[in-house]
Amino acid sequence: MSDNTEKKADMRLTAKIDLDFPIEADGMKYSSLTMRRPKTKDSKKAAKFKGHDADRGILLLADLCGVAPDVIEELDELDAKKLGDQLDAFRGGQLS
Protein backbone atom coordinates (compact mmCIF):
# COMPACT_ATOMS: atom_id res chain seq x y z
CA MET A 1 0.00 0.00 0.00
CA SER A 2 1.44 3.40 -0.92
CA ASP A 3 1.41 6.44 1.31
CA ASN A 4 -0.74 9.12 -0.35
CA THR A 5 -0.30 11.62 2.48
CA GLU A 6 -0.13 15.08 0.96
CA LYS A 7 2.77 17.20 2.10
CA LYS A 8 1.89 20.66 3.36
CA ALA A 9 4.10 23.64 2.82
CA ASP A 10 5.49 25.61 5.74
CA MET A 11 3.55 28.85 5.28
CA ARG A 12 5.54 30.99 7.70
CA LEU A 13 7.31 34.06 6.29
CA THR A 14 10.53 33.24 8.16
CA ALA A 15 11.91 30.36 10.18
CA LYS A 16 14.61 30.46 12.85
CA ILE A 17 17.01 27.55 12.62
CA ASP A 18 19.02 26.87 15.77
CA LEU A 19 22.50 25.59 14.98
CA ASP A 20 23.67 22.46 16.78
CA PHE A 21 27.24 23.57 16.10
CA PRO A 22 27.49 27.37 16.44
CA ILE A 23 30.11 29.02 14.25
CA GLU A 24 32.15 32.17 13.98
CA ALA A 25 32.52 33.77 10.55
CA ASP A 26 33.31 37.29 9.42
CA GLY A 27 33.96 38.25 13.05
CA MET A 28 30.38 37.32 14.06
CA LYS A 29 29.14 34.44 16.17
CA TYR A 30 26.13 32.53 14.87
CA SER A 31 24.07 30.19 17.04
CA SER A 32 21.04 30.43 14.78
CA LEU A 33 20.07 31.68 11.33
CA THR A 34 16.74 33.05 10.20
CA MET A 35 15.62 31.98 6.75
CA ARG A 36 12.96 33.82 4.76
CA ARG A 37 10.65 32.24 2.25
CA PRO A 38 12.23 31.87 -1.20
CA LYS A 39 10.98 33.95 -4.08
CA THR A 40 11.14 33.01 -7.73
CA LYS A 41 13.87 35.61 -8.26
CA ASP A 42 16.03 33.86 -5.64
CA SER A 43 15.88 30.57 -7.52
CA LYS A 44 16.43 32.36 -10.80
CA LYS A 45 19.54 34.12 -9.45
CA ALA A 46 20.96 30.83 -8.16
CA ALA A 47 20.19 29.06 -11.45
CA LYS A 48 22.17 31.70 -13.38
CA PHE A 49 25.27 31.06 -11.25
CA LYS A 50 27.84 29.25 -13.36
CA GLY A 51 29.36 26.78 -11.00
CA HIS A 52 28.93 23.55 -9.10
CA ASP A 53 25.47 22.65 -7.78
CA ALA A 54 26.79 22.85 -4.22
CA ASP A 55 27.96 26.44 -4.83
CA ARG A 56 24.53 27.29 -6.24
CA GLY A 57 22.90 25.90 -3.10
CA ILE A 58 25.26 27.84 -0.85
CA LEU A 59 24.45 31.06 -2.73
CA LEU A 60 20.71 30.45 -2.41
CA LEU A 61 20.86 29.60 1.31
CA ALA A 62 23.07 32.62 2.00
CA ASP A 63 20.61 34.93 0.23
CA LEU A 64 17.64 33.47 2.09
CA CYS A 65 19.41 33.77 5.45
CA GLY A 66 20.82 37.24 4.75
CA VAL A 67 24.44 36.22 5.29
CA ALA A 68 27.57 35.96 3.18
CA PRO A 69 28.19 32.62 1.43
CA ASP A 70 31.23 31.97 3.63
CA VAL A 71 28.91 31.79 6.66
CA ILE A 72 27.03 28.90 5.03
CA GLU A 73 30.33 27.28 4.05
CA GLU A 74 31.43 27.25 7.72
CA LEU A 75 28.34 25.35 8.88
CA ASP A 76 28.58 21.80 10.10
CA GLU A 77 26.94 19.53 7.54
CA LEU A 78 24.14 18.61 9.96
CA ASP A 79 23.27 22.30 10.36
CA ALA A 80 23.50 22.83 6.60
CA LYS A 81 21.06 19.92 6.19
CA LYS A 82 18.67 21.63 8.61
CA LEU A 83 18.72 24.71 6.34
CA GLY A 84 18.08 22.53 3.29
CA ASP A 85 15.22 20.78 5.07
CA GLN A 86 13.67 24.16 5.92
CA LEU A 87 13.98 25.29 2.31
CA ASP A 88 12.24 22.07 1.23
CA ALA A 89 9.48 22.72 3.79
CA PHE A 90 8.95 26.24 2.40
CA ARG A 91 8.66 24.67 -1.06
CA GLY A 92 6.02 22.17 -0.02
CA GLY A 93 7.86 19.39 1.77
CA GLN A 94 7.54 18.64 5.45
CA LEU A 95 10.16 19.00 8.13
CA SER A 96 11.02 15.62 9.54
Side-chain angles (χ1 to χ4, degrees):
M1 198 183 296
S2 65
D3 183 7
N4 290 332
T5 306
E6 187 176 324
K7 293 183 178 182
K8 297 192 186 228
D10 183 334
M11 300 305 288
R12 296 177 291 171
L13 296 179
T14 63
K16 179 181 174 190
I17 298 98
D18 292 321
L19 302 179
D20 292 326
F21 302 92
I23 61 164
E24 189 171 325
D26 296 333
M28 302 264 308
K29 292 183 180 185
Y30 296 89
S31 59
S32 67
L33 293 171
T34 300
M35 181 185 293
R36 65 174 172 79
R37 294 187 60 75
K39 296 181 180 182
T40 302
K41 66 181 178 181
D42 298 313
S43 297
K44 186 177 174 182
K45 178 182 175 184
K48 286 182 180 180
F49 180 77
K50 303 290 186 222
H52 192 274
D53 286 347
D55 292 327
R56 240 181 258 126
I58 288 168
L59 177 67
L60 179 59
L61 291 174
D63 282 348
L64 296 179
C65 293
V67 297
D70 61 321
V71 172
I72 303 301
E73 290 173 352
E74 286 297 321
L75 292 176
D76 184 272
E77 287 196 13
L78 290 175
D79 287 327
K81 183 181 181 316
K82 288 168 84 174
L83 293 180
D85 290 347
Q86 181 58 56
L87 178 58
D88 289 344
F90 278 148
R91 289 177 165 166
Q94 280 186 319
L95 286 173
S96 51

Coordinates of all heavy atoms in Angstrom, one line a residue:
M1 N 0.9 -1.2 0.0 CA 0.0 0.0 0.0 C 0.9 1.2 0.0 O 1.8 1.3 0.8 CB -0.9 0.0 1.3 CG -2.1 0.9 1.1 SD -3.1 1.0 2.6 CE -3.7 -0.7 2.7
S2 N 0.6 2.2 -0.9 CA 1.4 3.4 -0.9 C 0.9 4.5 0.0 O -0.3 4.5 0.3 CB 1.5 3.9 -2.4 OG 0.2 4.3 -2.8
D3 N 1.8 5.3 0.4 CA 1.4 6.4 1.3 C 1.0 7.6 0.5 O 1.9 8.2 -0.2 CB 2.6 6.8 2.2 CG 2.2 7.9 3.2 OD1 1.1 8.3 3.3 OD2 3.1 8.3 3.9
N4 N -0.2 8.0 0.5 CA -0.7 9.1 -0.3 C -0.9 10.4 0.5 O -1.7 11.3 0.1 CB -2.1 8.8 -1.0 CG -1.9 7.7 -2.1 OD1 -0.8 7.6 -2.7 ND2 -2.9 6.9 -2.3
T5 N -0.2 10.5 1.6 CA -0.3 11.6 2.5 C 0.3 12.8 1.7 O 1.4 12.8 1.3 CB 0.5 11.4 3.8 OG1 0.0 10.2 4.4 CG2 0.3 12.6 4.7
E6 N -0.6 13.9 1.6 CA -0.1 15.1 1.0 C 0.8 15.9 1.9 O 0.5 16.1 3.0 CB -1.4 15.9 0.6 CG -1.0 17.1 -0.3 CD -2.3 17.8 -0.7 OE1 -3.3 17.2 -1.0 OE2 -2.2 19.1 -0.8
K7 N 1.9 16.4 1.3 CA 2.8 17.2 2.1 C 2.3 18.6 2.1 O 1.8 19.1 1.1 CB 4.2 17.1 1.5 CG 4.8 15.8 1.7 CD 6.2 15.8 1.1 CE 6.9 14.5 1.3 NZ 8.3 14.5 0.8
K8 N 2.3 19.3 3.2 CA 1.9 20.7 3.4 C 3.1 21.6 3.5 O 4.0 21.3 4.2 CB 1.0 20.8 4.6 CG -0.3 20.0 4.4 CD -1.3 20.3 5.5 CE -2.4 19.4 5.4 NZ -3.7 19.9 5.3
A9 N 3.0 22.7 2.8 CA 4.1 23.6 2.8 C 4.1 24.4 4.2 O 3.1 24.6 4.8 CB 3.9 24.6 1.7
D10 N 5.3 24.7 4.6 CA 5.5 25.6 5.7 C 5.1 27.0 5.3 O 5.8 27.6 4.4 CB 6.9 25.5 6.2 CG 7.2 26.4 7.5 OD1 6.5 27.3 7.7 OD2 8.2 26.0 8.2
M11 N 4.1 27.6 5.8 CA 3.5 28.8 5.3 C 4.1 30.1 6.1 O 3.7 31.2 5.8 CB 2.0 28.8 5.3 CG 1.4 27.7 4.5 SD 1.9 27.7 2.8 CE 1.1 29.1 2.2
R12 N 5.0 29.9 7.0 CA 5.5 31.0 7.7 C 6.4 31.9 6.8 O 6.9 31.4 5.7 CB 6.5 30.5 8.8 CG 5.7 29.7 9.9 CD 6.7 29.2 10.9 NE 7.6 28.2 10.4 CZ 8.6 27.7 11.0 NH1 9.0 28.1 12.2 NH2 9.3 26.8 10.4
L13 N 6.5 33.1 7.1 CA 7.3 34.1 6.3 C 8.8 33.9 6.6 O 9.6 34.1 5.7 CB 6.9 35.5 6.6 CG 5.5 35.9 6.2 CD1 5.2 37.3 6.5 CD2 5.3 35.6 4.7
T14 N 9.1 33.5 7.8 CA 10.5 33.2 8.2 C 10.6 32.1 9.1 O 9.5 31.7 9.7 CB 11.2 34.4 8.8 OG1 10.5 34.7 10.1 CG2 11.2 35.7 7.9
A15 N 11.7 31.5 9.2 CA 11.9 30.4 10.2 C 13.3 30.5 10.8 O 14.3 30.7 10.1 CB 11.8 29.0 9.5
K16 N 13.3 30.4 12.1 CA 14.6 30.5 12.8 C 15.1 29.0 13.0 O 14.4 28.1 13.4 CB 14.4 31.1 14.2 CG 15.7 31.1 15.0 CD 15.4 31.7 16.4 CE 16.7 31.7 17.3 NZ 16.4 32.0 18.6
I17 N 16.4 28.9 12.5 CA 17.0 27.5 12.6 C 18.1 27.6 13.7 O 19.1 28.4 13.4 CB 17.6 27.1 11.2 CG1 16.4 27.0 10.2 CG2 18.3 25.8 11.4 CD1 16.3 28.1 9.3
D18 N 18.0 26.9 14.7 CA 19.0 26.9 15.8 C 20.1 25.9 15.3 O 19.9 24.8 14.8 CB 18.4 26.4 17.1 CG 17.5 27.4 17.7 OD1 17.8 28.6 17.6 OD2 16.5 26.9 18.3
L19 N 21.4 26.4 15.4 CA 22.5 25.6 15.0 C 22.9 24.7 16.1 O 23.1 25.1 17.3 CB 23.7 26.5 14.6 CG 23.4 27.5 13.4 CD1 24.6 28.4 13.2 CD2 22.9 26.8 12.2
D20 N 23.1 23.4 15.8 CA 23.7 22.5 16.8 C 25.2 22.7 17.0 O 25.7 22.4 18.1 CB 23.5 21.0 16.3 CG 22.0 20.6 16.3 OD1 21.2 21.1 17.1 OD2 21.6 19.9 15.4
F21 N 25.8 23.3 16.0 CA 27.2 23.6 16.1 C 27.5 25.0 15.7 O 27.7 25.4 14.6 CB 28.0 22.7 15.2 CG 27.8 21.2 15.4 CD1 26.8 20.5 14.8 CD2 28.6 20.5 16.4 CE1 26.6 19.1 15.1 CE2 28.4 19.2 16.7 CZ 27.4 18.5 16.0
P22 N 27.3 25.9 16.7 CA 27.5 27.4 16.4 C 28.9 27.6 15.8 O 29.8 26.9 16.0 CB 27.4 28.0 17.8 CG 26.5 27.1 18.6 CD 27.0 25.7 18.1
I23 N 28.9 28.7 15.0 CA 30.1 29.0 14.3 C 30.5 30.5 14.5 O 29.7 31.3 15.0 CB 29.9 28.8 12.7 CG1 28.8 29.7 12.2 CG2 29.7 27.3 12.4 CD1 28.8 29.8 10.7
E24 N 31.7 30.8 14.1 CA 32.1 32.2 14.0 C 32.6 32.4 12.6 O 33.4 31.6 12.0 CB 33.3 32.5 15.0 CG 33.6 33.9 15.1 CD 34.5 34.2 16.2 OE1 34.4 33.6 17.3 OE2 35.4 35.2 16.1
A25 N 32.1 33.4 11.9 CA 32.5 33.8 10.5 C 32.4 35.3 10.4 O 31.5 35.9 10.9 CB 31.6 33.0 9.5
D26 N 33.3 35.8 9.7 CA 33.3 37.3 9.4 C 33.3 38.1 10.7 O 32.6 39.1 10.8 CB 32.1 37.7 8.5 CG 32.2 37.1 7.1 OD1 33.3 36.8 6.7 OD2 31.2 36.9 6.5
G27 N 33.9 37.5 11.8 CA 34.0 38.2 13.0 C 32.7 38.2 13.8 O 32.5 38.9 14.8
M28 N 31.7 37.4 13.4 CA 30.4 37.3 14.1 C 30.2 35.9 14.5 O 30.6 34.9 13.9 CB 29.2 37.7 13.1 CG 29.3 39.0 12.5 SD 28.3 40.3 13.3 CE 26.8 39.5 13.5
K29 N 29.5 35.8 15.7 CA 29.1 34.4 16.2 C 27.7 34.1 15.8 O 26.8 35.0 15.9 CB 29.3 34.4 17.7 CG 30.7 34.5 18.1 CD 30.9 34.3 19.6 CE 32.4 34.5 19.9 NZ 32.6 34.2 21.4
Y30 N 27.5 32.9 15.3 CA 26.1 32.5 14.9 C 25.7 31.3 15.6 O 26.4 30.3 15.6 CB 26.1 32.2 13.4 CG 26.4 33.4 12.5 CD1 27.7 33.7 12.1 CD2 25.4 34.2 12.0 CE1 28.0 34.8 11.3 CE2 25.7 35.3 11.2 CZ 27.0 35.5 10.8 OH 27.2 36.6 10.0
S31 N 24.6 31.4 16.4 CA 24.1 30.2 17.0 C 22.7 29.8 16.4 O 22.2 28.8 16.7 CB 23.9 30.4 18.5 OG 23.0 31.6 18.8
S32 N 22.3 30.7 15.5 CA 21.0 30.4 14.8 C 21.1 31.3 13.5 O 21.8 32.3 13.4 CB 19.8 30.8 15.6 OG 19.7 32.1 15.8
L33 N 20.3 30.9 12.6 CA 20.1 31.7 11.3 C 18.6 31.8 11.1 O 17.8 30.8 11.4 CB 20.8 31.0 10.1 CG 22.3 31.0 10.1 CD1 22.8 30.1 9.0 CD2 22.9 32.4 10.0
T34 N 18.1 32.9 10.5 CA 16.7 33.0 10.2 C 16.6 33.1 8.7 O 17.2 33.9 8.0 CB 16.2 34.4 10.8 OG1 16.3 34.3 12.2 CG2 14.7 34.5 10.4
M35 N 15.8 32.1 8.2 CA 15.6 32.0 6.8 C 14.3 32.6 6.4 O 13.3 32.3 7.1 CB 15.7 30.5 6.4 CG 15.5 30.3 4.9 SD 15.4 28.5 4.4 CE 17.1 28.0 4.8
R36 N 14.2 33.3 5.3 CA 13.0 33.8 4.8 C 12.5 32.9 3.7 O 13.3 32.1 3.1 CB 13.1 35.2 4.2 CG 14.0 35.4 3.0 CD 14.1 36.8 2.5 NE 15.1 36.9 1.5 CZ 14.9 36.5 0.2 NH1 13.8 35.9 -0.2 NH2 15.9 36.7 -0.7
R37 N 11.2 33.0 3.3 CA 10.7 32.2 2.3 C 11.4 32.6 0.9 O 11.7 33.7 0.7 CB 9.2 32.5 2.1 CG 8.3 32.1 3.3 CD 6.8 32.2 3.0 NE 6.5 31.4 1.8 CZ 6.3 30.1 1.9 NH1 6.5 29.4 3.0 NH2 6.0 29.4 0.8
P38 N 11.6 31.6 0.1 CA 12.2 31.9 -1.2 C 11.2 32.5 -2.2 O 10.0 32.2 -2.1 CB 12.7 30.5 -1.7 CG 11.7 29.5 -1.0 CD 11.4 30.2 0.3
K39 N 11.8 33.4 -3.0 CA 11.0 34.0 -4.1 C 11.5 33.4 -5.4 O 12.6 32.9 -5.5 CB 11.1 35.5 -4.1 CG 10.5 36.1 -2.8 CD 10.7 37.6 -2.9 CE 10.1 38.2 -1.6 NZ 10.1 39.7 -1.6
T40 N 10.7 33.5 -6.4 CA 11.1 33.0 -7.7 C 12.5 33.6 -8.1 O 13.3 33.0 -8.7 CB 10.0 33.3 -8.8 OG1 8.8 32.7 -8.3 CG2 10.4 32.8 -10.1
K41 N 12.6 34.9 -7.9 CA 13.9 35.6 -8.3 C 15.1 35.0 -7.5 O 16.2 35.1 -8.1 CB 13.8 37.1 -8.1 CG 13.7 37.6 -6.6 CD 13.5 39.1 -6.5 CE 13.4 39.6 -5.1 NZ 13.2 41.0 -5.1
D42 N 14.9 34.5 -6.3 CA 16.0 33.9 -5.6 C 16.5 32.6 -6.4 O 17.7 32.4 -6.6 CB 15.6 33.5 -4.2 CG 15.3 34.7 -3.4 OD1 16.0 35.7 -3.4 OD2 14.2 34.6 -2.7
S43 N 15.5 31.8 -6.8 CA 15.9 30.6 -7.5 C 16.5 30.9 -8.9 O 17.4 30.3 -9.3 CB 14.6 29.7 -7.7 OG 14.2 29.3 -6.4
K44 N 15.9 31.9 -9.5 CA 16.4 32.4 -10.8 C 17.9 32.8 -10.7 O 18.7 32.5 -11.5 CB 15.5 33.5 -11.3 CG 15.9 33.9 -12.7 CD 14.8 35.0 -13.2 CE 15.2 35.5 -14.5 NZ 14.3 36.6 -15.0
K45 N 18.2 33.6 -9.7 CA 19.5 34.1 -9.4 C 20.5 33.0 -9.2 O 21.6 32.9 -9.8 CB 19.6 35.1 -8.2 CG 21.0 35.6 -7.9 CD 20.9 36.5 -6.7 CE 22.3 36.9 -6.2 NZ 22.3 37.7 -5.0
A46 N 20.1 32.0 -8.4 CA 21.0 30.8 -8.2 C 21.2 30.0 -9.4 O 22.3 29.5 -9.7 CB 20.4 30.0 -7.0
A47 N 20.1 29.9 -10.2 CA 20.2 29.1 -11.4 C 21.2 29.7 -12.5 O 21.8 29.0 -13.2 CB 18.8 28.9 -12.1
K48 N 21.3 31.0 -12.4 CA 22.2 31.7 -13.4 C 23.6 31.6 -13.0 O 24.5 31.8 -13.8 CB 21.8 33.2 -13.4 CG 20.6 33.5 -14.2 CD 20.3 35.0 -14.3 CE 19.1 35.3 -15.1 NZ 18.8 36.8 -15.1
F49 N 23.9 31.2 -11.7 CA 25.3 31.1 -11.2 C 26.0 29.9 -12.0 O 25.5 28.8 -12.0 CB 25.3 30.8 -9.7 CG 26.6 30.7 -9.2 CD1 27.4 31.8 -8.9 CD2 27.2 29.4 -8.9 CE1 28.7 31.7 -8.4 CE2 28.4 29.3 -8.3 CZ 29.2 30.4 -8.1
K50 N 27.1 30.2 -12.6 CA 27.8 29.3 -13.4 C 28.8 28.6 -12.4 O 29.9 29.1 -12.2 CB 28.6 29.9 -14.5 CG 27.7 30.6 -15.5 CD 26.8 29.7 -16.3 CE 26.1 30.5 -17.3 NZ 24.7 30.0 -17.5
G51 N 28.5 27.5 -11.9 CA 29.4 26.8 -11.0 C 28.8 25.4 -10.6 O 27.8 25.0 -11.1
H52 N 29.4 24.8 -9.6 CA 28.9 23.6 -9.1 C 27.6 23.7 -8.4 O 27.3 24.7 -7.9 CB 30.0 23.0 -8.1 CG 29.8 21.6 -7.7 ND1 29.0 21.3 -6.7 CD2 30.3 20.5 -8.2 CE1 29.0 19.9 -6.6 NE2 29.8 19.5 -7.5
D53 N 26.8 22.6 -8.4 CA 25.5 22.6 -7.8 C 25.6 23.0 -6.3 O 24.7 23.7 -5.8 CB 24.8 21.3 -7.9 CG 24.2 21.0 -9.3 OD1 24.2 22.0 -10.1 OD2 23.9 19.9 -9.6
A54 N 26.6 22.5 -5.6 CA 26.8 22.9 -4.2 C 27.0 24.4 -4.0 O 26.4 24.9 -3.1 CB 28.0 22.1 -3.6
D55 N 27.8 25.0 -4.9 CA 28.0 26.4 -4.8 C 26.7 27.2 -5.1 O 26.4 28.2 -4.4 CB 29.0 26.9 -5.8 CG 30.4 26.4 -5.5 OD1 30.7 26.2 -4.3 OD2 31.2 26.1 -6.4
R56 N 25.8 26.7 -6.0 CA 24.5 27.3 -6.2 C 23.7 27.2 -5.0 O 23.0 28.2 -4.6 CB 23.8 26.6 -7.4 CG 23.5 27.4 -8.5 CD 22.8 26.7 -9.7 NE 23.9 26.4 -10.7 CZ 24.2 25.3 -11.2 NH1 23.5 24.2 -10.8 NH2 25.1 25.1 -12.0
G57 N 23.7 26.1 -4.3 CA 22.9 25.9 -3.1 C 23.4 26.8 -2.0 O 22.6 27.4 -1.2
I58 N 24.7 27.0 -1.9 CA 25.3 27.8 -0.8 C 24.8 29.3 -1.1 O 24.4 30.0 -0.2 CB 26.8 27.7 -0.8 CG1 27.2 26.4 -0.2 CG2 27.4 28.9 -0.1 CD1 28.6 26.0 -0.4
L59 N 24.9 29.7 -2.4 CA 24.5 31.1 -2.7 C 23.0 31.3 -2.4 O 22.6 32.3 -1.8 CB 24.7 31.3 -4.2 CG 24.2 32.6 -4.8 CD1 25.1 33.8 -4.2 CD2 24.3 32.7 -6.3
L60 N 22.1 30.3 -2.7 CA 20.7 30.4 -2.4 C 20.5 30.5 -0.9 O 19.7 31.4 -0.4 CB 19.9 29.3 -3.0 CG 18.4 29.3 -2.8 CD1 17.8 30.6 -3.3 CD2 17.8 28.1 -3.4
L61 N 21.1 29.6 -0.1 CA 20.9 29.6 1.3 C 21.4 30.9 1.9 O 20.8 31.4 2.9 CB 21.5 28.4 1.9 CG 20.9 27.0 1.6 CD1 21.7 25.9 2.2 CD2 19.4 27.0 2.1
A62 N 22.5 31.4 1.5 CA 23.1 32.6 2.0 C 22.1 33.8 1.8 O 21.9 34.6 2.7 CB 24.4 32.9 1.4
D63 N 21.6 33.9 0.5 CA 20.6 34.9 0.2 C 19.4 34.8 1.1 O 18.9 35.8 1.7 CB 20.2 34.9 -1.2 CG 21.2 35.4 -2.2 OD1 22.2 36.1 -1.7 OD2 21.1 35.2 -3.4
L64 N 18.9 33.6 1.3 CA 17.6 33.5 2.1 C 17.9 33.7 3.6 O 16.9 34.1 4.3 CB 17.1 32.1 1.9 CG 16.6 31.7 0.5 CD1 16.1 30.3 0.4 CD2 15.6 32.7 0.0
C65 N 19.1 33.5 4.0 CA 19.4 33.8 5.4 C 20.0 35.1 5.7 O 20.3 35.5 6.8 CB 20.3 32.7 6.0 SG 19.6 31.1 6.0
G66 N 20.3 35.9 4.6 CA 20.8 37.2 4.7 C 22.2 37.3 5.3 O 22.6 38.2 6.0
V67 N 23.0 36.3 4.9 CA 24.4 36.2 5.3 C 25.3 36.0 4.1 O 24.8 35.7 3.0 CB 24.7 35.1 6.3 CG1 23.9 35.3 7.6 CG2 24.4 33.7 5.7
A68 N 26.6 36.2 4.3 CA 27.6 36.0 3.2 C 27.7 34.4 2.9 O 27.5 33.6 3.9 CB 28.9 36.6 3.5
P69 N 28.0 34.1 1.7 CA 28.2 32.6 1.4 C 29.2 31.9 2.3 O 29.0 30.7 2.7 CB 28.6 32.6 0.0 CG 28.0 33.8 -0.6 CD 28.1 34.9 0.5
D70 N 30.2 32.6 2.8 CA 31.2 32.0 3.6 C 30.7 31.6 5.0 O 31.2 30.7 5.6 CB 32.5 32.8 3.8 CG 32.3 34.2 4.4 OD1 31.3 34.8 4.1 OD2 33.2 34.6 5.2
V71 N 29.6 32.2 5.4 CA 28.9 31.8 6.7 C 28.3 30.4 6.4 O 28.5 29.5 7.3 CB 27.8 32.8 7.1 CG1 27.0 32.3 8.3 CG2 28.5 34.1 7.4
I72 N 27.6 30.2 5.3 CA 27.0 28.9 5.0 C 28.1 27.8 4.9 O 28.0 26.7 5.3 CB 26.2 29.0 3.8 CG1 25.1 30.1 3.9 CG2 25.5 27.6 3.4 CD1 24.1 29.9 5.0
E73 N 29.2 28.2 4.2 CA 30.3 27.3 4.0 C 30.9 26.8 5.4 O 31.5 25.7 5.4 CB 31.4 27.9 3.2 CG 31.0 28.1 1.7 CD 32.0 28.9 0.9 OE1 33.0 29.4 1.5 OE2 31.8 28.9 -0.3
E74 N 30.9 27.6 6.4 CA 31.4 27.3 7.7 C 30.5 26.3 8.5 O 31.0 25.7 9.5 CB 31.7 28.5 8.5 CG 32.9 29.3 8.1 CD 34.2 28.5 8.2 OE1 34.4 27.8 9.2 OE2 35.0 28.6 7.3
L75 N 29.3 26.2 8.1 CA 28.3 25.3 8.9 C 28.7 23.9 8.9 O 29.2 23.3 7.9 CB 26.9 25.4 8.3 CG 26.2 26.8 8.4 CD1 24.9 26.7 7.7 CD2 26.0 27.2 9.8
D76 N 28.5 23.2 10.0 CA 28.6 21.8 10.1 C 27.6 21.2 9.1 O 26.5 21.8 8.9 CB 28.2 21.4 11.5 CG 28.4 19.9 11.7 OD1 27.4 19.1 11.5 OD2 29.5 19.4 12.1
E77 N 27.9 20.1 8.5 CA 26.9 19.5 7.5 C 25.6 19.2 8.1 O 24.6 19.3 7.4 CB 27.6 18.3 6.9 CG 28.7 18.7 5.9 CD 29.1 17.6 5.0 OE1 28.3 16.6 4.9 OE2 30.1 17.7 4.3
L78 N 25.5 18.9 9.4 CA 24.1 18.6 10.0 C 23.3 19.9 10.0 O 22.1 19.9 9.7 CB 24.3 18.0 11.4 CG 24.8 16.6 11.4 CD1 25.0 16.2 12.9 CD2 23.8 15.6 10.7
D79 N 24.0 21.0 10.3 CA 23.3 22.3 10.4 C 22.9 22.7 8.9 O 21.8 23.3 8.7 CB 24.1 23.4 11.1 CG 24.2 23.1 12.6 OD1 23.2 22.7 13.2 OD2 25.2 23.5 13.2
A80 N 23.8 22.5 8.0 CA 23.5 22.8 6.6 C 22.3 22.0 6.1 O 21.4 22.5 5.4 CB 24.7 22.6 5.7
K81 N 22.2 20.8 6.6 CA 21.1 19.9 6.2 C 19.8 20.5 6.8 O 18.7 20.5 6.1 CB 21.3 18.5 6.7 CG 20.1 17.6 6.2 CD 20.3 16.2 6.7 CE 19.2 15.2 6.3 NZ 17.8 15.7 6.4
K82 N 19.9 21.0 8.0 CA 18.7 21.6 8.6 C 18.2 22.8 7.8 O 17.0 23.0 7.6 CB 19.0 22.1 10.0 CG 19.1 21.0 11.0 CD 19.7 21.5 12.3 CE 18.7 22.0 13.3 NZ 19.3 22.4 14.6
L83 N 19.1 23.6 7.2 CA 18.7 24.7 6.3 C 18.1 24.2 5.1 O 17.1 24.7 4.6 CB 19.9 25.6 6.0 CG 20.6 26.4 7.1 CD1 21.8 27.2 6.5 CD2 19.6 27.3 7.7
G84 N 18.7 23.1 4.5 CA 18.1 22.5 3.3 C 16.7 22.0 3.5 O 15.8 22.1 2.7
D85 N 16.5 21.3 4.7 CA 15.2 20.8 5.1 C 14.2 21.9 5.2 O 13.0 21.7 4.8 CB 15.3 20.0 6.4 CG 16.1 18.7 6.2 OD1 16.3 18.2 5.1 OD2 16.4 18.1 7.3
Q86 N 14.6 23.0 5.8 CA 13.7 24.2 5.9 C 13.3 24.7 4.6 O 12.1 25.0 4.3 CB 14.3 25.2 6.8 CG 13.3 26.4 7.0 CD 12.0 26.0 7.6 OE1 12.0 25.4 8.7 NE2 10.9 26.4 7.0
L87 N 14.3 24.8 3.7 CA 14.0 25.3 2.3 C 13.0 24.4 1.6 O 12.0 24.8 1.0 CB 15.3 25.4 1.5 CG 15.1 25.8 0.0 CD1 14.4 27.2 -0.1 CD2 16.5 25.8 -0.6
D88 N 13.2 23.0 1.8 CA 12.2 22.1 1.2 C 10.8 22.3 1.8 O 9.8 22.2 1.1 CB 12.7 20.6 1.5 CG 13.9 20.3 0.6 OD1 14.2 21.0 -0.3 OD2 14.6 19.3 1.0
A89 N 10.8 22.5 3.1 CA 9.5 22.7 3.8 C 8.8 24.0 3.2 O 7.6 24.0 3.0 CB 9.7 22.8 5.3
F90 N 9.6 25.0 3.0 CA 8.9 26.2 2.4 C 8.4 25.9 1.0 O 7.4 26.5 0.6 CB 10.0 27.4 2.3 CG 10.2 28.2 3.6 CD1 11.5 28.7 3.8 CD2 9.2 28.4 4.5 CE1 11.7 29.5 4.9 CE2 9.4 29.2 5.6 CZ 10.7 29.7 5.8
R91 N 9.0 25.0 0.3 CA 8.7 24.7 -1.1 C 7.6 23.6 -1.1 O 7.2 23.2 -2.2 CB 9.9 24.2 -1.8 CG 10.9 25.3 -2.1 CD 12.1 24.8 -2.8 NE 12.8 25.9 -3.5 CZ 14.1 25.8 -3.9 NH1 14.7 24.6 -3.8 NH2 14.7 26.8 -4.4
G92 N 7.1 23.1 0.0 CA 6.0 22.2 0.0 C 6.3 20.8 0.6 O 5.4 20.0 0.8
G93 N 7.5 20.6 1.0 CA 7.9 19.4 1.8 C 7.6 19.6 3.2 O 7.2 20.7 3.7
Q94 N 7.8 18.5 4.0 CA 7.5 18.6 5.4 C 8.8 18.5 6.2 O 9.7 17.7 5.7 CB 6.6 17.5 5.9 CG 5.1 17.8 5.7 CD 4.3 16.8 6.3 OE1 4.6 15.6 6.2 NE2 3.2 17.2 6.9
L95 N 9.0 19.2 7.3 CA 10.2 19.0 8.1 C 10.0 17.7 8.8 O 8.9 17.3 9.2 CB 10.2 20.1 9.2 CG 10.7 21.5 8.7 CD1 10.6 22.5 9.8 CD2 12.1 21.4 8.2
S96 N 11.1 16.9 8.9 CA 11.0 15.6 9.5 C 11.4 15.7 11.0 O 11.9 16.7 11.4 CB 11.9 14.6 8.8 OG 13.2 15.1 8.7

